[in-house]
Amino acid sequence: MERFLNRFITVLEWWTVLMLILMVVLVTLGVFFRYVLSSSLAWYDEFASYLLVWLTFCGAVVASYRDRHIGFAVVVNRFTPKTRRIVGAVAELFVLGFQVVLFYYGWNLMQKMGEETAISLPWVKMGWVYSVLPIAGGLMLIISLERLLHLLFGSGTKKGAEAAWSGSSSE
């Protein structure tokens, strides 16, 4: 499972990079049309906004998997290994609760907005745009469950896990 998840996250990272490149090209094109050709594209900013939403949530999934979200490593690393494990499990339970909410309400929102269309892009269904909420919530839920199970029944530290950046300039 861990190997499959690692490969999937690598593919998701590349998808996120492609979305970022597309967003940069799109915004550059929009600026070019507006200021050089004096002819604004009516749809580029809305589409760029949707790309930004997808980029943010896909990046959050990758950050969650790589354990790169904000944490209190300076404080937690001072605890004994047993206390660190307990604090990690409690924190993961809170994260898990948030991800359940994200998945559930994201699913509901996607269902309610499913047939609505974008203002300037009538062929884009809002359900497609909002589908990132249950997708990201579900993926982070799987990651969090795996991490929680590892904290409760594993060795305490994830095999091969990358250490989160501490903010030190020497890293």
Side-chain angles (χ1 to χ4, degrees):
M1 174 72 173
E2 190 174 330
R3 203 160 87 167
F4 170 77
L5 200 53
N6 195 21
R7 286 185 181 168
F8 181 78
I9 294 298
T10 301
V11 170
L12 187 61
E13 279 178 316
W14 282 105
W15 172 249
T16 305
V17 167
L18 286 173
M19 284 191 297
L20 179 61
I21 291 169
L22 180 60
M23 191 171 78
V24 167
V25 168
L26 187 63
V27 170
T28 303
L29 191 63
V31 169
F32 176 78
F33 267 79
R34 178 169 290 177
Y35 294 106
V36 175
L37 301 179
S38 296
S39 174
S40 180
L41 298 173
W43 53 269
Y44 91 93
D45 57 339
E46 186 176 16
F47 194 67
S49 297
Y50 299 151
L51 280 173
L52 182 61
V53 169
W54 270 81
L55 184 68
T56 301
F57 280 96
C58 290
V61 171
V62 173
S64 176
Y65 181 76
R66 302 272 185 239
D67 209 9
R68 298 290 184 162
H69 280 290
I70 296 171
F72 295 102
V74 173
V75 175
V76 174
N77 288 342
R78 294 178 186 257
F79 295 152
T80 64
K82 183 179 179 182
T83 306
R84 192 177 312 145
R85 199 173 188 161
I86 292 168
V87 168
V90 169
E92 205 61 51
L93 283 170
F94 281 112
V95 169
L96 202 61
F98 171 76
Q99 292 159 352
V100 167
V101 169
L102 180 64
F103 178 78
Y104 178 76
Y105 287 104
W107 182 265
N108 286 343
L109 184 62
M110 184 187 76
Q111 295 291 354
K112 287 180 182 175
M113 299 298 290
E115 293 304 313
E116 298 291 324
T117 59
I119 307 275
S120 62
L121 301 163
W123 56 272
V124 174
K125 303 270 188 208
M126 293 309 292
W128 302 344
V129 175
Y130 289 118
S131 68
V132 74
L133 297 171
I135 290 170
L139 289 171
M140 287 191 286
L141 194 61
I142 292 168
I143 292 165
S144 218
L145 280 172
E146 192 260 338
R147 189 172 290 134
L148 182 63
L149 290 173
H150 191 77
L151 279 168
L152 294 175
F153 306 111
S155 62
T157 57
K158 192 174 177 182
K159 269 190 320 186
E162 300 176 44
W165 179 64
S166 68
S168 168
S169 61
S170 64
E171 289 185 298

